[in-house]
Amino acid sequence: MSHQPLVSVIIPCYNHARFLAESVDSVRKQTYTNLEIIIVDDGSTDNTRAVSESLTGIRYIYQPNQGLSAARNTGFDNSHGDYIVYLDADDCLYPEAIASNLQYLLQNPALAFVSGWHEKVDEWLYPIEKDALSVIREKHYIHLLQGNYIGMHAAVMYTRWILKQFRFDTSLKACEDYDLYMQIARQYPVGCHDKTIAAYRIHGANMSSKIPFMLAAVLHVHQRQKAHLTNHEEEKAWHNGKAIWKQYYSTKLQQILFSQITEKQIPSQEDRQALMRLNTAAGLRLEAAIARVKFRNILRDILPPFILRRLYKRGYIYRFTPEQGKIQWGDLERVTPFSSDFGFDRGGPVDRYYIEKFLEANKSLVKGRVLEIGDNAYTLQYGQGKISQSDVLHIAWANETVTFVGDLSDAPHIPSDTFDCIILTQTLHFLYDFRAALRTCHRILKKGGTLLLTVPGISHIDKGEWKEYWLWAFTDKSMQRLLTEHFHERDITLNTYGNVYIATAFLYGAGLPEVRRDFLDIHDPSYQVIIAAKATKQML
């Protein structure tokens, strides 16, 4: 790389301001540094402009909303690089991404583009899905006719000369990158390697989550190649590809719709019709499942609770949940909880009572500069009139209150001796290296500053978005030993909350209004629902 060619990284953005700074930061952390960064704001209605203007070393271009293809074309027209990378605003590059692809193209100057590999991550950049690695050594066009082995656009680096010949088709609302790959690979040699260089973020706003739309889009793009097939091998690959795409999206759609049934949701008519067209047998199975759900809903609507309770106990119906406030002790003869959401849907979680009781008792310490994890709700609630600055640490730029981004167990960018108080509630069990997180807390506290911490003891594991990250449960003894690794024993105060009645109610998902108030404050250290700790950093 003695020549050090310029690489242009073009970031089209439409209403993804919350991810944009993280995306740009991933480019700045590249081991290859001769880069230009261009943000193309495609008519965003969020604060994309404000975020872009707060970033240094980038070029910001605004255009009225025209779609992703037009935004990419605009970025190319305003770029100067010898090589081009398109990074969507909600995705990230890994540090060796540019260097890996550029080295491959410099060693193979006849190639029009090269692609590496990627991994799927969640909103906070934790890996969530492992795809089988596809490394194609030859016949790239044949392989593209049978599916998009590249999978993620940011894993591709183009030569400038090829993009002078081919532009993104602005008439396409999706799969425009797949369309371009096939156009280029049909006429020019391209390359592929096995290094994982990019993170593809899966979140609710991803276009690829709209299965019927994406299937129609990919089949439309795939159909456009039919007129260009020149031999039997290409024709066979094209027909295989059409079947593969239908099977792929049929399977995806089945997974989504049947999971909705499991969660007691009725899929939309549009999605049901789409599945029926793709896979009649699966569509009929889905309709039968929906009929069963509707029948049980009718039973729940017309039969009185005492009959439903008896039918459930005798196995005639699979689900029965007593109405809020009407739990009977006999209702505990079950293997499913009343709520799978910690009681949020039944008036609020029982454990929240203890967390807020602990914070209320220590609200005098919520003062000065305060750091909270995720948001600053408790800081504002318990620090009224005593706060000079409220800071929030989050794993991503989730909202406007976030001031630090990162993992508490690895946060060298947070300055030492800074905070008068840290509120760390129900977080430590999500961190694999919780010792490092406590070390960070001690480091960033001012001398005399206090850590207010709560962790779960007896609890079920979240079934929703946090289930993959729920790693630990604690006791007062384990927390005492952990905290004394960094704080002096005399500066630590531990409390436990709960008893057998409360622990049972919490595990079953009873809401706070449903438990006996006079039992809430009865303490039995053998049943620790919540462990709370106050730890102060020594003045000396």
Side-chain angles (χ1 to χ4, degrees), residues 286-481:
L286 179 70
E287 293 303 318
I290 291 171
R292 290 193 294 272
V293 170
K294 289 182 175 179
F295 177 71
R296 289 168 188 154
N297 289 342
I298 292 171
L299 286 180
R300 282 196 292 269
D301 291 339
I302 65 175
L303 296 177
F306 76 92
I307 293 179
L308 291 173
R309 183 178 278 112
R310 290 177 183 175
L311 291 174
Y312 173 78
K313 288 181 178 179
R314 294 179 182 179
Y316 295 119
I317 60 175
Y318 299 120
R319 292 178 181 271
F320 165 68
T321 302
E323 295 178 16
Q324 181 178 328
K326 295 185 178 180
I327 295 174
Q328 299 179 6
W329 280 108
D331 293 328
L332 301 186
E333 295 178 7
R334 58 192 295 129
V335 294
T336 57
F338 307 130
S339 167
S340 297
D341 194 25
F342 298 91
F344 274 104
D345 51 345
R346 301 183 68 87
V350 172
D351 66 337
R352 190 63 57 90
Y353 171 82
Y354 296 128
I355 296 166
E356 295 179 357
K357 180 180 180 180
F358 166 72
L359 292 175
E360 177 68 29
N362 292 283
K363 65 181 181 181
S364 63
L365 300 171
V366 184
K367 61 184 179 180
R369 188 171 181 183
V370 180
L371 177 69
E372 191 171 346
I373 312 303
D375 59 45
N376 62 351
Y378 282 148
T379 301
L380 300 179
Q381 181 177 349
Y382 296 103
Q384 294 181 18
K386 308 190 301 296
I387 304 169
S388 60
Q389 182 172 333
S390 172
D391 288 280
V392 173
L393 171 67
H394 199 288
I395 199 70
W397 290 108
N399 53 61
E400 66 277 0
T401 67
V402 175
T403 52
F404 295 99
V405 172
D407 184 334
L408 188 62
S409 59
D410 182 20
H413 57 297
I414 302 180
S416 301
D417 305 307
T418 298
F419 299 101
D420 298 284
C421 179
I422 298 173
I423 299 176
L424 184 63
T425 54
Q426 305 303 93
T427 301
L428 214 60
H429 58 298
F430 295 126
L431 303 177
Y432 180 75
D433 194 352
F434 51 80
R435 277 191 167 87
L438 291 173
R439 189 183 312 122
T440 297
C441 288
H442 184 268
R443 176 181 64 81
I444 64 179
L445 276 172
K446 290 180 181 177
K447 293 178 180 178
T450 301
L451 169 65
L452 299 177
L453 174 149
T454 70
V455 292
I458 299 171
S459 173
H460 76 269
I461 295 172
D462 182 40
K463 293 184 178 181
E465 62 177 313
W466 297 107
K467 66 180 178 180
E468 300 298 330
Y469 314 116
W470 197 298
L471 303 175
W472 312 106
F474 298 91
T475 66
D476 58 340
K477 297 297 186 290
S478 63
M479 286 311 308
Q480 180 74 35
R481 293 184 64 174

Side-chain angles (χ1 to χ4, degrees), residues 8-12 36-41 59 61 63 68-81 84-86 160 163 167-168:
S8 300
V9 181
I10 297 166
I11 306 177
E36 67 170 356
I37 305 173
I38 301 170
I39 296 174
V40 181
D41 182 350
R59 189 151 20 119
I61 300 169
Q63 67 178 27
L68 187 55
S69 292
R72 287 173 176 159
N73 290 337
T74 296
F76 176 74
D77 292 341
N78 288 273
S79 69
H80 302 94
I84 311 295
V85 173
Y86 294 98
R160 186 171 194 85
L163 293 179
R167 293 175 72 82
F168 292 96

Side-chain angles (χ1 to χ4, degrees), residues 249-259 275 279 282 285:
Y249 279 114
S250 170
T251 301
K252 287 280 187 184
L253 192 55
Q254 285 181 64
Q255 293 171 346
I256 292 171
L257 300 189
F258 278 98
S259 69
L275 181 59
N279 188 325
R285 289 198 302 274

Side-chain angles (χ1 to χ4, degrees), residues 270-291:
E270 179 186 1
D271 287 346
R272 290 157 63 183
Q273 291 172 352
L275 181 59
M276 193 70 77
R277 289 193 300 269
L278 284 172
N279 188 325
T280 303
L284 292 173
R285 289 198 302 274
L286 179 70
E287 293 303 318
I290 291 171

Side-chain angles (χ1 to χ4, degrees), residues 6 60 113 128 175 184 242 281-282 300 379 491:
L6 178 67
Y60 172 78
F113 70 73
I128 58 173
C175 302
I184 294 173
K242 187 174 182 179
R300 282 196 292 269
T379 301
D491 297 323

Side-chain angles (χ1 to χ4, degrees), residues 83 102-113 159 161 189:
Y83 299 91
L102 181 58
Q103 182 179 33
Y104 197 101
L105 287 176
L106 291 176
Q107 292 174 348
N108 301 274
L111 300 183
F113 70 73
T159 59
W161 59 264

